Amino acid sequence: MSNNEILLVEDNPSDIDLTMRAFTKSRILNKVILAEDGQEALDYIFGTGPHTGRDPANFPALTLLDLKLPKVSGLEVLRRIRADERTRRMPIVVLTSSTEEQDRADGYDHGVNSYIRKPVDFKQFVAVLEQLGMYWLLLNEAPPRHTESS
Amino acid sequence: MSRKTRLDPDMRAASGYVLALGAVSTALAVRLMLIGLLAYQGPFLPFVLAVMITATFGGRGPGLLATTISLLAVWYFFLPIANSFVLKNPADVMNLVTFFVVGSGITLLSDRMREALRVATRTEETNRALLESASQGIVSTSGDGRIINVNAMAERMFGYTREELIGKPLVTLLPETRQTARAATAAGSEVQHTHLLMDRVGQRRDGSSFPVEVNLSSAHTADGTASIAFVTDISERKQAEEAMRNQANMLNLAHDPIFAWQPGGRIYYWNRGATALYGFTPEEAMGRISHELLKSVLPFPEKELESRLEAEGSWIGEIVHTAKDGSSVIVESRMILYTGPKGDRTVLETNRDITGRKAAAEEIRLLNEDLERRVRVRTAELQAANTELEAFAYSVSHDLRAPLRGIDGWSMALLEDYEGQLDERALGYLHRVRGEAQRLGGLIDDLLQLSRVTRMQIRSQAVDVSALAGQLADRLRELHPGRRLQFTIQPSLSAKGDPRLVEVVLTNLLENAVKFTGTRPEGVIEVGGSEDGAARIFFVRDNGVGFDMAYASSLFGVFQRLHKASEFPGTGIGLATVQRIVHRHGGRTWAESADGQGATFYFALPV
């Protein structure tokens, strides 16, 4: 059973709406799950809180993760995902405004699959999301999901 | 006493007996020759002489032998009946007995005398030898004060021979003894006086004088006061005393305080340096207990000091003393325990005033402490400022860009979704909004880069500048497909620096060159370099609009722009970033131009 969802972890309402608009513009029609802080993201991914019962192994096809988040930071979310063997192979792209070297280094050290800087120019932003969707949702072969028996 | 007569005992004994036989034979021969003249009257006389001679020179045994032979010779040859041992007159028996007694008596008496003479001679020899060998000069005088004998040492000491001195008055040698002798005479009643005369003067034959000590013993005799003087030359002792006095004076002159105390601490020497440092005069210090007078504070209980000195022989360390005026004095003290020839013990204490040195050291320590504290405070402040700057840069990076993206994005949305409902002016305004948003984005990016190169840790390595410039030139050609750009890059340029930062420098300079040659039909851009001892100098030259050298000094300042934004858009941060990077590498930047004739930007990096 495959999961085609996109998990968008983003707290800025303007960025959320622009991202949704960009998905529409680039004809990405997958279901988008929104988490507006780090804790919401963790609850969804690990099936806790309001999402009790969800199988963590059934992770979204693509997660777009901002680093600067309320409650639990993007890096911490990333660390916990990579620490759990059910979600270890989950494709995660950091999508952030920061180009700080330290953030990039930390992102890759925590095992992010890709690190994308949000351009100020909306045209470029749409182009970036289009390429992201094309690559991760169509071109890239999804990782095998972890099962209890395997 | 000549050695020739000193025969060995056997020989001497034998010669005595030979003498006895010879003397008696001679007497017999003489008496027989006189037989015609004297007949048989008084036959004993020559034999008595023979016995006397033999006893005197031959001793007891030969004397008795001579007596016996003589007795037999007279009996046989001269008593009737002659030429036989038959006696005619009974009175002759008595004569023979008398002769034997007299001969034996002469022999025994003579022997006694010889023995007494021998003992006397030996005693005198011994006495003379002892006097001669004495280390003192010995001069004896008779009652009239004239010298009767001197020993060898006295001869040497005064430079006279014995013969020259005998008969001269004692004052010739010891000019000062006159009064003493007179005083001794005046004192009178006692038979004997002994005076020890110290520090006197002896007079040599050559007129020079020398210090002597005289032990003069005098005795009253019938013809005045005889005396014997034992004279010791004390020149050496005097010199030693003088040397010691000089040394004591020199100690006194020493600048450092030096004093000496006996076990228990009683001070008995106190030099001028000690007076100068502590304020106590020698009179005030002598006899006082050292550690009481100076209120010594040692690194250990004061009573341990002497046992330590006893064990080690010396001690070196710091002591705090209190001077007469109550001020504290810190000294570096050296003490030495000295044991004299008679076992008397002394501690010599030499101190050095280190109060000033200690105070200076303390001051330096305090200054250093203060400096370190200030450095710590400053470092903490700097770290806080850096942390704040990083937080600021991070915040700028995230939070300032997000709204810009919103402004751009929603302007775009408006343009896309409502294009038909907006007139040209409204659309123009929206394009301007987007343009400004993107310009602010660029500005933020440039500022972030400037902040980043300031904070970034430099990791230097060799950088292939030629290769890097080539890659950047390719990228610029791609970015400006409508421009004619000619890049000339000198091969084999290399620099020592952080490759990420050298790339930022070259990017900025080449982008500038491309930008400012925009009005030229062809942009001609040259990258080159040279070596200048300690540094490698690189340049980027263009054929662009150049700049007025009057403003060259403000070229590398932040937000400094020499051209109108409508002509050449820019943030005014690029060259500031270039300069910041080069400075952080220990290098420098400069530029040359003439307005309208292109510009050359230089940067030098240490080798």
Side-chain angles (χ1 to χ4, degrees), chain B residues 52-270:
Chain B
M52 280 173 78
I53 288 166
T54 306
T56 302
F57 298 104
R60 192 169 47 193
L64 288 176
L65 177 67
T67 305
T68 308
I69 302 169
S70 296
L71 182 130
L72 292 174
V74 171
W75 189 351
Y76 184 80
F77 288 107
F78 301 109
L79 296 183
I81 299 165
N83 298 325
S84 81
F85 287 109
V86 180
L87 289 173
K88 200 171 135 197
N89 303 324
D92 284 340
V93 175
M94 200 58 214
N95 284 339
L96 284 174
V97 169
T98 303
F99 176 79
F100 187 78
V101 168
V102 168
S104 303
I106 288 168
T107 301
L108 292 177
L109 271 174
S110 166
D111 190 57
R112 274 289 178 81
M113 276 171 65
R114 277 163 50 92
E115 187 58 33
L117 195 66
R118 204 163 52 237
V119 169
T121 307
R122 198 180 301 140
T123 303
E124 196 185 326
E125 274 173 23
T126 306
N127 284 345
R128 188 176 295 275
L130 284 174
L131 287 180
E132 288 300 306
S133 67
S135 64
Q136 289 174 309
I138 302 171
V139 182
S140 49
T141 60
S142 56
D144 59 359
R146 292 192 179 274
I147 293 168
I148 50 174
N149 201 3
V150 299
N151 71 347
M153 180 52 91
E155 287 181 286
R156 271 206 299 283
M157 211 180 267
F158 291 97
Y160 290 96
T161 63
R162 190 188 312 259
E163 290 68 31
E164 286 171 329
L165 280 174
I166 288 172
K168 285 211 168 64
L170 183 60
V171 293
T172 310
L173 303 179
L174 302 167
E176 295 160 320
T177 46
R178 197 192 300 273
Q179 290 106 341
T180 315
R182 211 175 285 148
T185 315
S189 60
E190 286 174 66
V191 177
Q192 271 192 317
H193 304 275
T194 300
H195 299 276
L196 179 64
L197 309 175
M198 301 180 73
D199 287 344
R200 297 304 159 116
V201 173
Q203 185 107 36
R204 293 198 189 91
R205 190 179 186 219
D206 62 11
S208 62
S209 56
F210 60 101
V212 293
E213 195 176 276
V214 183
N215 206 323
L216 185 67
S217 301
S218 21
H220 291 292
T221 63
D223 45 21
T225 309
S227 61
I228 181 159
F230 296 85
V231 184
T232 310
D233 183 344
I234 57 170
S235 301
E236 280 179 21
R237 197 202 297 166
K238 281 278 172 194
Q239 279 164 10
E241 280 172 12
E242 180 74 13
M244 276 183 76
R245 245 195 319 280
N246 282 340
Q247 281 168 5
N249 280 338
M250 278 157 65
L251 270 189
N252 196 33
L253 287 174
H255 176 75
D256 284 339
I258 300 170
F259 53 96
W261 42 273
Q262 292 155 340
R266 198 164 296 281
I267 296 168
Y268 73 93
Y269 176 77
W270 186 262

Side-chain angles (χ1 to χ4, degrees), chain B residues 201-522:
Chain B
V201 173
Q203 185 107 36
R204 293 198 189 91
R205 190 179 186 219
D206 62 11
S208 62
S209 56
F210 60 101
V212 293
E213 195 176 276
V214 183
N215 206 323
L216 185 67
S217 301
S218 21
H220 291 292
T221 63
D223 45 21
T225 309
S227 61
I228 181 159
F230 296 85
V231 184
T232 310
D233 183 344
I234 57 170
S235 301
E236 280 179 21
R237 197 202 297 166
K238 281 278 172 194
Q239 279 164 10
E241 280 172 12
E242 180 74 13
M244 276 183 76
R245 245 195 319 280
N246 282 340
Q247 281 168 5
N249 280 338
M250 278 157 65
L251 270 189
N252 196 33
L253 287 174
H255 176 75
D256 284 339
I258 300 170
F259 53 96
W261 42 273
Q262 292 155 340
R266 198 164 296 281
I267 296 168
Y268 73 93
Y269 176 77
W270 186 262
N271 81 338
R272 265 194 342 211
T275 300
L277 182 63
Y278 298 117
F280 297 106
T281 63
E283 292 71 33
E284 288 168 330
M286 302 280 219
R288 298 285 303 275
I289 303 299
S290 153
H291 55 262
E292 288 174 7
L293 180 71
L294 300 171
K295 302 186 177 67
S296 308
V297 181
L298 289 138
F300 44 79
E302 189 277 326
K303 53 178 174 256
E304 284 181 22
L305 177 60
E306 285 192 30
S307 58
R308 283 183 185 230
L309 282 169
E310 203 71 47
E312 307 279 332
S314 64
W315 181 78
I316 298 176
E318 283 182 18
I319 308 180
V320 181
H321 281 146
T322 303
K324 192 182 179 187
D325 64 7
S327 61
S328 277
V329 180
I330 306 169
V331 295
E332 186 182 270
S333 183
R334 285 157 190 270
M335 298 186 194
I336 291 174
L337 178 69
Y338 171 74
T339 306
K342 292 170 193 157
D344 48 325
R345 320 200 107 194
T346 284
V347 176
L348 187 70
E349 183 169 340
T350 308
N351 295 339
R352 175 161 298 162
D353 182 7
I354 56 167
T355 313
R357 201 208 297 168
K358 291 289 266 189
E362 178 65 11
E363 196 174 336
I364 287 169
R365 197 184 62 75
L366 286 175
L367 280 174
N368 275 337
E369 226 169 56
D370 187 47
L371 197 64
E372 270 170 32
R373 188 183 54 73
R374 275 155 62 184
V375 166
R376 273 200 303 278
V377 169
R378 290 283 155 81
T379 308
E381 283 173 3
L382 205 60
Q383 269 168 358
N386 261 337
T387 308
E388 210 170 301
L389 188 65
E390 264 170 50
F392 174 74
Y394 193 80
S395 171
V396 167
S397 176
H398 272 86
D399 301 346
L400 251 53
R401 287 161 54 90
L404 279 176
R405 200 162 43 248
I407 293 167
D408 188 73
W410 297 123
S411 304
M412 186 75 189
L414 206 54
L415 281 168
E416 284 172 352
D417 295 1
Y418 297 93
E419 200 176 3
Q421 296 168 42
L422 295 171
D423 62 12
E424 277 302 307
R425 279 179 71 186
L427 291 174
Y429 292 161
L430 277 175
H431 281 296
R432 284 203 170 185
V433 169
R434 286 196 66 212
E436 290 300 301
Q438 282 166 25
R439 203 167 75 80
L440 188 52
L443 201 55
I444 289 168
D445 285 349
D446 284 358
L447 272 176
L448 278 174
Q449 188 176 54
L450 178 60
S451 146
R452 205 175 297 135
V453 304
T454 307
R455 289 176 288 130
M456 211 163 107
Q457 202 181 352
I458 292 183
R459 299 191 202 103
S460 273
Q461 62 187 71
V463 181
D464 185 342
V465 174
S466 301
L468 186 58
Q471 288 162 16
L472 292 171
D474 291 346
R475 199 188 300 164
L476 285 165
R477 280 202 203 89
E478 278 173 28
L479 274 172
H480 303 278
R483 291 278 309 279
R484 283 177 64 200
L485 294 170
Q486 184 198 320
F487 288 96
T488 311
I489 297 166
Q490 185 180 323
S492 310
L493 292 175
S494 77
K496 188 164 167 280
D498 189 315
R500 299 165 299 172
L501 294 176
V502 174
E503 181 176 344
V504 173
V505 169
L506 277 175
T507 305
N508 271 295
L509 293 178
L510 289 171
E511 277 178 353
N512 271 359
V514 169
K515 183 162 69 184
F516 290 103
T517 54
T519 54
R520 305 291 190 224
E522 181 179 34

